[in-house]
Amino acid sequence: MPTNSQTQAALARADADFDAALARLFALLRIKSISADPAYAADCRAAAEHLCADIASLGFDAEVRETAGHPAIVAKAKGNTGARPHALFYGHYDVQPVDPLELWHRPPFEPVVTDHADGRKIIVARGAQDDKGQLSTFVEACRAWKAATGELPIDLTIVIEGEEEVGSKNFVAFLEANKQDLAADFALVCDTGMWDPNTPAITTALRGLVYEEVKIKAANRDLHSGIYGGGAQNPIRVLTRILGGLHDEHGRITIPGFYDGVKDLPPEILDQWKGLGLTAETFLKPIGLSLPAGEDDRLLIEQISSRPTCDINGIVGGYTGEGSKTVIAAEASAKVSFRIVEGQDPAKIRDAFRAYVTARLPGDCSAEFLDHSNAPAIALPWTMKPLAAAKQALTEEWGKEALLIGSGASIPIVADFKRTLGVDTLLVGFGLDDDNIHSPNEKYDLNSFQKGIRSWVRILGALAVAKT
Amino acid sequence: MPTNSQTQAALARADADFDAALARLFALLRIKSISADPAYAADCRAAAEHLCADIASLGFDAEVRETAGHPAIVAKAKGNTGARPHALFYGHYDVQPVDPLELWHRPPFEPVVTDHADGRKIIVARGAQDDKGQLSTFVEACRAWKAATGELPIDLTIVIEGEEEVGSKNFVAFLEANKQDLAADFALVCDTGMWDPNTPAITTALRGLVYEEVKIKAANRDLHSGIYGGGAQNPIRVLTRILGGLHDEHGRITIPGFYDGVKDLPPEILDQWKGLGLTAETFLKPIGLSLPAGEDDRLLIEQISSRPTCDINGIVGGYTGEGSKTVIAAEASAKVSFRIVEGQDPAKIRDAFRAYVTARLPGDCSAEFLDHSNAPAIALPWTMKPLAAAKQALTEEWGKEALLIGSGASIPIVADFKRTLGVDTLLVGFGLDDDNIHSPNEKYDLNSFQKGIRSWVRILGALAVAKT
């Protein structure tokens, strides 16, 4: 069991080693591990091998393991005793595509430290936050413990996958097949955010994600609108008509049964949330907006964290090049996703969406669907022991009470860990709302990276003491 | 004035020279004169120079003339007397883009003669019909007259432009600037269709075209739907909602004032049209459809030729690559066109569309518009003398009464000729509904090409006799 002076020694070591930690993060960020695009498959493998070698150097039995997709890494600390709390740390080395590339101020895979408009130092690159920067805070904390004390304070298994950004489809099968190997008392994930740049947070509720692709087809070929216009069905017209009806004038989703099982927040939680001061001014103004766009009878904080939503993430059909073309396309498609909450069944939401589209198809049109994600919402047990230990450690590091918050984003792996391994997951992360993850100019505050490492150093020490 | 034996000699000459005519068409089809894409500017110029040289070889003073865009060709027959009827023939050497390229069975700029599924011989290439094949029927008819009789039977000016497929914007200024040079008694255009493969037609009414591009913008950057979903406005949601409302459940366009000035067909014309037997079975089945998609209280033939329509020709926004990305795009755009009819003012339709979109924009969203085309509908005078002459010539060539028909497509140049040069236009063409113009695998029936040449040989002879 670590002493307080051991934790202090590990913190000092982390500070002394910070420049080298940053250089190691940069090396990882330079690898173009875009999982969505098959053209980058070799880069994904290179990222896995790079991370695996680094983690092995910290005293782990580490292996790159094959999946049906991009490979995963499994690493077990050589010093595991079987008598200490055993954590399974999870991260992902894959990153989102970089388009539209022309909006990046610098090449996305050439990381730099630069100044944010308000003077904060930031690391800019695709993956700087999600999830290479975040997972590196944990790896660096392990390195600091090992260097300062010769050992880790708890038993530890690290698993890192390469398909989180494309729905972790193959990783779930991998989990099923490696249950024994990945057995632990609880899981740790560093892929979430802080409340603001000074206030740490633990995420205790996550929305789920149902992500569908729909393609509408009509004629057997593209048509000239001068010959067929008015007489032939136009798939873009059909698609816009159907998708344009997904929300009513109050911002509510119109799919029959969509809100079945959705509960209102307990009044005491709603009161707490009202006190957090999340307003359009603070949350939307930085992205150039001023008006909450969700259900008009809900607070903005409810719209983005406790209410289910629907977004069209992409749409394409017909002629989209320069100039004009008088074509009626043979098909048009869209990517549509739903953030779902506790009480909603992802399979039912998917089926309800498909039924909604199909019921609105005019004659001569067909619809094809592709399932990209199908993950339920998660609510973590407030009684979980590591939660209190981590909350205390974060509060000490940041000098400010750590908040327990809900998140609008999905981390589907949390449900998979519960189902396959039977473990709850502690979600601690250092992301900020303005990190531009999934967008051009993704960044991670240098302060998030440095104090993130220090936070994990303290949490590892605190977890050694906590009984799980 | 030509004798009947001169016409017969020219017809014989056209038949004897047909293989060479086909080779000349192939040479023209090999030039990638795509006007919409600036990458093909040099090919457009090459097509102009190629055609100009060929027409000059027929005894014309022919020149490539600069415009603000792709160049035009003006050619005046050296044998013009000033005492004979004077026709201005118009065509365009530019072609549509070829995407989606993967749906072509062969490279689009490597023409071949092959067999259609039903045994018809067809010429396959981009531009095989629209308009390289069609304009070549006229040029070859001139060649046959010249070779057989040493002269053309009427005075003739030929003008060929290179921007018809992108709205002829610079060509209109060119017309204005060259009124004197292009003066004629009437215009001839070969860019329309037959009634069916055995029935020739003259097009006497054309719909106009208003073509708009609209871009909706919301946040100042792409957003992660996990963080902002539900709270931030989504431009694709806004765009689909607005465009999805352009038609009501009866297929009528909902833009206020859209149908102002639109007249119903005279009952006798409607009766004639009913007798033509244009049905979903004959017209829609070949393209894989079965149900007329326009206003549900109108005949299919009205929907496609006498009623105004609206089509979304293209739409794009957000992530459209493989897989999934949980992004809320900063912007989304669509290309929307209206086929308009006599009585509708294109500027009013454009303004009404813009007002319709703007009125439906939620807060935080802006719309930008781009005007791609703005052409009124045309109705030709039935009393025009060359009409009767051409009708008679076509009837003789095809052994079947030539029909006078309306067309759903726009040929905006017809209005421009009337306004700038004061001339009416005779529209004779040999296209068929299954020619796939503007689509992959564009074709022109070999029979259309051969009998098209013969038709123009006869029409030129007949026009010499007709008083305009």
Side-chain angles (χ1 to χ4, degrees):
Chain A
M1 206 173 292
T3 63
N4 188 49
S5 68
Q6 284 180 309
T7 298
Q8 292 303 323
L11 286 171
R13 173 69 199 171
D15 287 344
D17 195 39
F18 183 66
D19 286 350
L22 190 62
R24 285 187 288 268
L25 173 58
F26 274 29
L28 182 59
L29 291 172
R30 286 193 192 99
I31 305 174
K32 302 175 181 178
S33 46
I34 301 169
S35 53
D37 187 340
Y40 294 92
D43 302 86
C44 288
R45 183 168 297 273
E49 286 169 355
H50 177 95
L51 259 174
C52 185
D54 186 48
I55 292 168
S57 77
L58 304 181
F60 283 77
D61 291 317
E63 286 182 342
V64 172
R65 299 269 193 95
E66 297 307 316
T67 73
H70 301 304
I73 302 158
V74 175
K76 301 170 81 98
K78 290 179 177 169
N80 285 353
T81 64
R84 303 180 300 179
H86 190 153
L88 174 69
F89 177 82
Y90 162 90
H92 63 92
Y93 65 75
D94 64 319
V95 297
Q96 284 275 326
V98 296
D99 59 290
L101 186 59
E102 67 275 15
L103 296 186
W104 286 77
H105 303 142
R106 292 179 42 84
F109 295 103
E110 297 178 16
V112 287
V113 171
T114 181
D115 291 312
H116 201 263
D118 63 7
R120 279 179 285 159
K121 290 277 178 198
I122 56 176
I123 304 162
V124 180
R126 169 57 84 229
Q129 196 246 64
D130 179 18
D131 185 45
K132 289 174 175 174
Q134 298 247 59
L135 77 84
S136 293
T137 59
F138 185 83
V139 172
E140 294 300 335
C142 293
R143 194 187 315 271
W145 267 101
K146 189 83 181 173
T149 72
E151 60 178 7
L152 297 170
I154 59 172
D155 285 7
L156 189 59
T157 302
I158 293 177
V159 63
I160 298 179
E161 72 149 316
E163 296 191 305
E164 197 269 352
E165 301 293 5
V166 290
S168 298
K169 273 180 191 165
N170 298 305
F171 186 67
V172 175
F174 181 83
L175 275 187
E176 295 280 1
N178 292 276
K179 277 185 213 177
Q180 256 86 46
D181 230 17
L182 299 172
D185 300 319
F186 57 92
L188 300 173
V189 171
C190 187
D191 201 13
T192 49
M194 316 232 298
W195 177 252
D196 65 31
N198 304 309
T199 314
I202 301 174
T203 301
T204 57
L206 292 168
R207 292 195 287 194
L209 181 67
V210 173
Y211 197 122
E212 288 277 298
E213 184 163 340
V214 55
K215 181 181 285 184
I216 308 284
K217 294 183 169 186
N220 57 20
R221 61 175 174 88
D222 285 358
L223 306 172
H224 185 330
S225 75
I227 296 174
Y228 292 98
Q233 198 49 269
N234 180 330
I236 307 180
R237 169 176 156 192
V238 174
L239 186 63
T240 58
R241 185 169 181 84
I242 293 174
L243 299 185
L246 281 170
H247 294 83
D248 70 13
E249 68 272 30
H250 299 294
R252 275 180 73 86
I253 292 154
T254 59
I255 297 172
F258 182 78
Y259 292 97
D260 289 356
V262 177
K263 288 179 261 317
D264 274 347
L265 282 179
E268 63 275 18
I269 300 283
L270 192 59
D271 279 346
Q272 275 179 23
W273 283 14
K274 282 179 183 167
L276 290 174
L278 184 139
T279 63
E281 179 74 13
T282 58
F283 186 73
L284 296 177
K285 197 177 174 187
I287 54 169
L289 302 177
S290 63
L291 302 167
E295 296 166 273
D296 60 14
D297 58 346
R298 300 287 173 174
L299 298 177
L300 177 55
I301 193 171
E302 291 179 278
Q303 293 177 2
I304 62 168
S305 52
S306 68
R307 297 293 298 174
T309 62
C310 168
D311 266 300
I312 307 165
N313 304 105
I315 191 165
V316 67
Y319 184 67
T320 60
E322 265 194 67
S324 63
K325 184 172 171 178
T326 49
V327 66
I328 299 175
E331 60 182 48
S333 66
K335 298 180 196 268
V336 181
S337 67
F338 301 90
R339 300 285 170 180
I340 61 173
V341 301
E342 215 191 340
Q344 288 181 301
D345 174 358
K348 279 191 188 161
I349 296 297
R350 183 193 60 197
D351 293 347
F353 170 69
R354 292 182 177 188
Y356 178 92
V357 171
T358 306
R360 282 158 185 76
L361 280 180
D364 281 345
C365 290
S366 65
E368 290 173 9
F369 299 93
L370 198 59
D371 172 11
H372 288 298
S373 170
N374 204 358
I378 293 291
L380 294 181
W382 295 72
T383 53
M384 185 188 174
K385 283 276 170 52
L387 183 61
K391 187 170 188 287
Q392 178 62 24
L394 284 169
T395 301
E396 283 170 14
E397 172 60 26
W398 294 83
K400 208 166 169 190
E401 176 91 8
L403 299 179
L404 305 185
I405 60 173
S407 168
S410 305
I411 305 188
I413 201 68
V414 174
D416 297 323
F417 283 156
K418 184 73 181 180
R419 200 184 59 252
T420 58
L421 308 179
V423 299
D424 291 317
T425 300
L426 188 65
L427 293 154
V428 176
F430 308 96
L432 295 173
D433 288 341
D434 64 359
D435 281 346
N436 298 339
I437 66 170
H438 297 204
S439 296
N441 306 308
E442 178 175 349
K443 63 91 175 163
Y444 198 34
D445 277 30
L446 197 66
N447 193 52
S448 285
F449 187 53
Q450 183 156 26
K451 286 179 78 71
I453 296 170
R454 289 177 53 92
S455 295
W456 281 118
V457 168
R458 290 183 189 271
I459 293 170
L460 284 171
L463 289 173
V465 181
K467 290 276 172 266
T468 56
Chain B
M1 207 173 290
T3 63
N4 189 47
S5 69
Q6 284 180 309
T7 298
Q8 292 303 325
L11 287 170
R13 173 68 199 170
D15 287 345
D17 194 40
F18 183 66
D19 287 349
L22 191 60
R24 283 186 289 267
L25 173 58
F26 274 29
L28 182 59
L29 291 172
R30 287 191 191 100
I31 305 174
K32 302 175 180 178
S33 46
I34 301 169
S35 52
D37 188 337
Y40 294 92
D43 302 86
C44 287
R45 183 168 298 272
E49 286 169 355
H50 176 95
L51 259 174
C52 185
D54 185 48
I55 292 168
S57 77
L58 304 181
F60 283 75
D61 291 316
E63 285 181 340
V64 173
R65 299 268 194 98
E66 298 307 317
T67 73
H70 302 302
I73 302 159
V74 174
K76 300 171 83 96
K78 290 179 177 168
N80 285 353
T81 65
R84 302 180 299 179
H86 189 155
L88 173 69
F89 178 83
Y90 163 90
H92 63 91
Y93 65 76
D94 65 319
V95 298
Q96 283 274 325
V98 296
D99 58 293
L101 187 59
E102 66 275 14
L103 296 185
W104 286 79
H105 303 142
R106 292 180 41 86
F109 295 102
E110 296 177 17
V112 287
V113 170
T114 182
D115 290 312
H116 200 263
D118 63 8
R120 278 179 284 160
K121 292 278 179 199
I122 56 175
I123 304 162
V124 180
R126 169 57 84 227
Q129 196 248 61
D130 180 18
D131 185 45
K132 289 174 176 173
Q134 298 247 58
L135 78 82
S136 294
T137 60
F138 185 83
V139 172
E140 294 300 335
C142 292
R143 195 186 315 272
W145 266 101
K146 188 83 182 173
T149 72
E151 61 178 5
L152 296 169
I154 59 172
D155 284 6
L156 189 59
T157 302
I158 294 178
V159 63
I160 298 180
E161 72 148 317
E163 297 193 303
E164 198 270 351
E165 301 293 4
V166 289
S168 299
K169 274 179 190 165
N170 298 306
F171 187 65
V172 174
F174 181 82
L175 276 187
E176 294 280 1
N178 292 275
K179 276 185 213 178
Q180 255 87 46
D181 229 16
L182 300 171
D185 299 319
F186 57 93
L188 300 173
V189 172
C190 187
D191 201 12
T192 50
M194 315 232 298
W195 177 253
D196 65 31
N198 304 310
T199 315
I202 301 174
T203 301
T204 56
L206 292 168
R207 292 196 287 194
L209 180 67
V210 172
Y211 197 123
E212 288 276 300
E213 184 163 341
V214 55
K215 180 181 286 184
I216 307 283
K217 294 183 168 187
N220 56 21
R221 61 175 174 88
D222 285 359
L223 307 171
H224 185 332
S225 75
I227 297 175
Y228 292 97
Q233 198 50 267
N234 181 329
I236 306 179
R237 170 175 155 193
V238 173
L239 186 64
T240 58
R241 187 169 180 81
I242 293 174
L243 299 185
L246 282 171
H247 294 83
D248 70 14
E249 68 270 34
H250 299 293
R252 277 179 72 85
I253 292 153
T254 58
I255 297 172
F258 182 78
Y259 292 98
D260 289 357
V262 177
K263 288 179 260 321
D264 274 346
L265 282 178
E268 64 275 17
I269 299 283
L270 192 59
D271 280 345
Q272 274 181 22
W273 282 15
K274 282 177 183 166
L276 290 174
L278 183 139
T279 63
E281 179 74 13
T282 57
F283 186 73
L284 296 177
K285 196 176 175 187
I287 54 170
L289 302 176
S290 63
L291 303 168
E295 295 166 274
D296 60 14
D297 59 346
R298 300 288 174 173
L299 299 176
L300 178 55
I301 194 172
E302 291 179 279
Q303 292 177 3
I304 61 168
S305 52
S306 69
R307 296 294 297 175
T309 63
C310 168
D311 267 300
I312 307 166
N313 304 104
I315 191 166
V316 68
Y319 185 66
T320 60
E322 266 196 65
S324 62
K325 184 172 173 180
T326 49
V327 67
I328 300 175
E331 61 182 47
S333 65
K335 298 179 198 268
V336 181
S337 66
F338 301 90
R339 299 284 170 181
I340 60 174
V341 300
E342 213 193 341
Q344 288 181 301
D345 173 358
K348 278 191 187 161
I349 296 297
R350 183 193 61 198
D351 293 347
F353 170 69
R354 293 182 176 188
Y356 178 92
V357 171
T358 305
R360 281 157 184 77
L361 280 181
D364 281 345
C365 291
S366 65
E368 290 173 8
F369 298 93
L370 198 59
D371 171 11
H372 288 299
S373 170
N374 205 359
I378 294 290
L380 294 182
W382 295 73
T383 51
M384 187 187 173
K385 282 274 170 55
L387 184 61
K391 186 169 189 285
Q392 178 61 26
L394 285 169
T395 301
E396 283 170 12
E397 173 61 26
W398 294 82
K400 211 168 166 187
E401 176 93 9
L403 298 178
L404 305 186
I405 60 175
S407 168
S410 304
I411 304 188
I413 202 68
V414 175
D416 297 323
F417 283 156
K418 184 72 180 181
R419 200 183 60 252
T420 57
L421 308 179
V423 297
D424 291 316
T425 300
L426 188 65
L427 293 154
V428 177
F430 308 96
L432 295 173
D433 289 341
D434 65 359
D435 282 345
N436 297 339
I437 65 169
H438 297 204
S439 295
N441 306 308
E442 178 174 350
K443 65 91 175 161
Y444 199 34
D445 277 30
L446 198 65
N447 193 51
S448 285
F449 187 52
Q450 183 155 28
K451 287 180 76 73
I453 297 169
R454 290 177 52 93
S455 294
W456 281 118
V457 167
R458 289 184 191 271
I459 293 170
L460 285 170
L463 289 173
V465 181
K467 289 276 172 268
T468 55

